[in-house]
Amino acid sequence: MRYYAVFLPMKDVEKSKEFRSQHLKFLEQMRQEKKVLMNGKFTDGSGGLVIYAADTLDQAVSYLKEDPYIKEGARDWEIHEWAMETNAEFDF
């Protein structure tokens, strides 16, 4: 399993508001399916970050393209494979 960090910079504020609940439901389902490790918004309102778990980059991109934010043009995206390092002091 590999991890992919996806930056979701703001593209359309109104569409982001309109599709937020669908986006969050999508991410919840993906977390339940163990396809999303974690996600969250940037506190400055510029967008958000999703960490996908996938076998390949193509698989991660296919997950990403199902996100309502991407399908509806609310956000742009940038993806990078991410080598996760853990801190034993944190209990995830």
Side-chain angles (χ1 to χ4, degrees), residues 54-85:
D55 293 325
T56 65
L57 175 62
D58 288 342
Q59 186 177 51
V61 170
S62 74
Y63 297 159
L64 165 66
K65 288 186 175 180
E66 292 302 312
D67 185 332
Y69 270 178
I70 302 307
K71 290 171 78 171
E72 301 298 336
R75 302 290 176 94
D76 284 322
W77 60 276
E78 180 181 335
I79 189 168
H80 300 273
E81 187 170 354
W82 182 54
M84 180 174 55
E85 302 289 336

Side-chain angles (χ1 to χ4, degrees), residues 33-50:
E33 294 175 12
K34 308 265 189 243
K35 295 176 181 175
V36 164
L37 178 66
M38 61 182 69
N39 61 277
K41 64 182 180 176
F42 298 132
T43 59
D44 64 1
S46 64
L49 173 73
V50 179

